[in-house]
């Protein structure tokens, strides 16, 4: 009986809507449908209960890089994001040498098998030198399906997503290969036209890597990839809602056209997330973080973010004025569905993992539960 907890009195956001004065019952590491009479009751009146956040695109945090860190450093980075409500995280790599990325994929696949991360995302090296952002241009290469296959194989079934400039030679064939292997083909760091983007979607691409960023701007004669990605119902668009990467009007445009069921909030976080200003390395490139904005030392490109998803949630619900239910879709349910783990996480339903975030009336994070254990205790003063 001691394993049962009743989180009571809160606004509980369910797939069907928000329940006022609701409750979520936790039995061990799962959400349950009922509780014994003597279960522990946690009074969370005035708070919001939402599902744990799911981050599709994250390069590190807490001073640790998923691309280059040791196992202990990677776990520290994962834990840093858990403290901010991200109970499910995909580890993203930046561009590197193929052999290096293969070795790293082998290492991180073990952490995925242990349940510490939700898989691996390769953001590069198969991206456009015209839109490289914070990637080392000397290491970029065309998306040869044989090389894409090499990274998938090195991941031992844990590759979840590969970002491609699909207009490059081999791009469309690589999209088809990824789709056949059940790996998300994401269009990003691309210089594609509207028509080239449509062709990649038809071939099986399903995600837009950080929409708007590292792609041609929306044009009225040459609409480019943004229009194609927003209008197609097969695409989920990633958005970095930190106030730096996107103007609020661009976010509103994406939500208006894609709808809350086709948006995924991501951090694109790098080592400095949850750690602070200073000098860092993003892969082989030096980054300066000042006032929480990360930029390359050489050239000044934005270099990932220092965002955590609790801040993205608060901004969406306050500055952007989005309905809380829509924010929950974008930050939990949609990414969980994309990753194929919605049967376990992404909503507060009986039988799922007890991954729960507690927010106060101002949408500041007050509690984080992962698999039934408090990582951040809402009752600890």
């Amino acid at each position: 009986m001691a394993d049962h907890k009743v989180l009571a009195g809160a606004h509980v956001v369910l797939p069907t809507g928000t329940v006022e004065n609701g409750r979520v019952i936790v039995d061990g590491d799962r959400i349950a449908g009922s509780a014994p009479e003597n279960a522990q009751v946690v009074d969370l009146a005035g708070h919001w209960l939402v599902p744990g956040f799911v981050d599709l695109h994250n390069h590190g945090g807490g001073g640790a890089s998923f691309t280059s860190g040791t196992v202990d450093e990677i776990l520290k980075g994962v834990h840093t994001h858990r403290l901010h409500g991200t109970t499910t995280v995909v580890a993203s790599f930046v561009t590197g040498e193929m052999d290096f990325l293969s070795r790293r994929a082998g290492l991180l696949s073990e952490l995925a098998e242990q349940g510490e991360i939700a898989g691996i995302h390769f953001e590069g090296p198969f991206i456009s030198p015209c839109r490289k952002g914070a990637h080392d241009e000397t290491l970029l290469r065309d998306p040869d399906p044989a090389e894409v296959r090499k990274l998938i194989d090195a991941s031992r079934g844990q590759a979840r997503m590969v970002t491609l400039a699909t207009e490059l030679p081999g791009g469309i064939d690589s999209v088809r290969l990824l789709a056949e292997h059940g790996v998300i083909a994401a269009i990003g760091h691309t210089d594609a036209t509207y028509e080239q983007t449509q062709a990649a979607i038809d071939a099986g691409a399903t995600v837009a890597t950080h929409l708007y960023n590292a792609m041609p701007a929306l044009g009225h004669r040459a609409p480019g990839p943004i229009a194609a990605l927003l209008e197609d119902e097969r695409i989920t668009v990633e958005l970095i809602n930190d106030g730096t990467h996107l103007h609020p009007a661009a976010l509103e445009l994406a939500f208006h056209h894609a709808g809350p069921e086709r948006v995924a909030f991501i951090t694109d976080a790098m080592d400095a997330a949850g750690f602070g200003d200073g000098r860092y390395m993003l892969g082989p490139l030096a980054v300066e973080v000042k006032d929480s904005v990360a930029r390359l030392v050489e050239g000044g490109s934005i270099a990932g973010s220092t965002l955590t998803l609790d801040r993205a949630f608060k901004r969406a619900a306050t500055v952007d004025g989005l309905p809380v239910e829509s924010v929950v879709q974008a930050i939990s349910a949609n990414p969980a569905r994309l990753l194929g783990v919605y049967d376990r996480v992404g909503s507060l339903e009986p039988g799922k993992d007890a991954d729960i975030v507690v927010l106060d009336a101002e949408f500041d994070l007050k509690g984080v539960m992962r698999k039934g254990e408090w990582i951040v205790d809402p009752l600890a003063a």
Side-chain angles (χ1 to χ4, degrees):
M1 300 296 183
D3 266 356
H4 281 84
K5 302 181 189 80
V6 180
L7 313 183
H11 316 289
V12 180
V13 182
L14 302 175
T16 49
T18 299
V19 177
E20 303 300 333
N21 193 22
R23 63 184 200 160
V24 176
I25 299 161
V26 176
D27 178 8
D29 62 357
R30 298 292 179 90
I31 296 170
S34 61
E37 286 182 18
N38 60 347
Q40 175 196 358
V41 177
V42 181
D43 181 9
L44 293 172
H47 290 72
W48 292 86
L49 288 183
V50 299
F53 308 145
V54 181
D55 195 354
L56 278 177
H57 185 158
N58 185 320
H59 297 281
S65 161
F66 296 151
T67 302
S68 57
T70 65
V71 168
D72 285 347
E73 287 169 343
I74 291 165
L75 292 175
K76 180 186 177 189
V78 169
H79 184 67
T80 296
H81 285 281
R82 286 179 185 166
L83 293 173
H84 291 276
T86 299
T87 48
T88 303
V89 63
V90 172
S92 299
F93 291 155
V94 290
T95 294
E97 296 278 5
M98 288 293 291
D99 289 345
F100 170 78
L101 291 174
S102 294
R103 288 198 304 275
R104 294 297 296 178
L107 176 73
L108 265 74
S109 67
E110 293 181 27
L111 295 178
E113 286 157 10
Q114 294 161 17
E116 298 290 349
I117 60 173
I120 301 164
H121 163 219
F122 295 94
E123 188 185 22
F126 310 112
I127 61 176
S128 172
C130 308
R131 305 285 173 177
K132 63 182 185 296
H135 292 254
D136 185 343
E137 186 168 349
T138 64
L139 298 175
L140 301 184
R141 55 214 300 139
D142 289 338
D144 177 346
E147 296 208 310
V148 175
R149 178 67 188 265
K150 181 180 176 184
L151 294 184
I152 297 173
D153 290 346
S155 305
R156 302 206 305 258
Q158 301 300 331
R160 294 288 170 267
M161 182 160 66
V162 179
T163 295
L164 306 160
T166 51
E167 75 278 8
L168 295 175
I172 297 295
D173 286 340
S174 290
V175 169
R176 292 195 184 100
L177 173 81
L178 291 165
E180 285 166 13
H181 284 82
V183 179
I184 295 165
I187 300 172
H189 287 273
T190 176
D191 205 38
T193 64
Y194 175 84
E195 291 78 15
Q196 287 170 327
T197 306
Q198 285 183 314
I201 299 168
D202 287 340
T206 56
V207 167
T209 293
H210 45 55
L211 186 77
Y212 300 112
N213 300 117
M215 60 182 66
L218 190 62
H220 62 291
R221 286 197 199 83
I226 294 170
L229 293 163
L230 278 178
E231 73 185 8
D232 199 300
E233 293 184 0
R234 295 168 289 184
I235 291 289
T236 298
V237 297
E238 294 180 348
L239 297 175
I240 308 171
N241 193 23
D242 60 356
T244 299
H245 280 77
L246 297 177
H247 189 284
L251 180 108
E252 159 62 27
L253 183 74
F255 257 92
H256 179 78
H257 280 276
E261 59 285 337
R262 283 181 44 222
V263 171
F265 282 139
I266 60 160
T267 60
D268 193 16
M270 47 86 73
D271 323 16
F275 204 64
D277 287 0
R279 280 278 179 116
Y280 297 86
M281 296 301 292
L282 187 60
L285 302 180
V287 173
E288 180 82 33
V289 178
K290 186 176 179 184
D291 300 329
S292 297
V293 177
R295 292 187 180 275
L296 288 186
V297 172
E298 294 288 328
S301 283
I302 294 178
S305 83
T306 62
L307 187 62
T308 49
L309 281 180
D310 57 334
R311 281 175 34 221
F313 194 113
K314 177 169 180 165
R315 183 179 177 85
T318 57
V319 176
D320 301 314
L322 293 170
V324 176
E325 296 83 2
S326 297
V327 182
V328 168
Q329 274 186 280
I331 218 161
S332 302
N334 298 343
R337 281 198 184 91
L338 274 171
L339 293 172
V341 294
Y342 189 68
D343 59 326
R344 300 200 309 275
V345 300
S347 66
L348 301 178
E349 294 177 276
K352 292 195 176 187
D353 290 353
D355 290 0
I356 302 166
V357 173
V358 183
L359 304 168
D360 67 13
E362 281 74 48
F363 301 103
D364 287 316
L365 184 138
K366 293 297 174 184
V368 182
M369 176 182 280
R370 185 173 187 269
K371 296 192 175 180
E373 298 288 332
W374 288 116
I375 297 172
V376 178
D377 188 336
L379 300 184

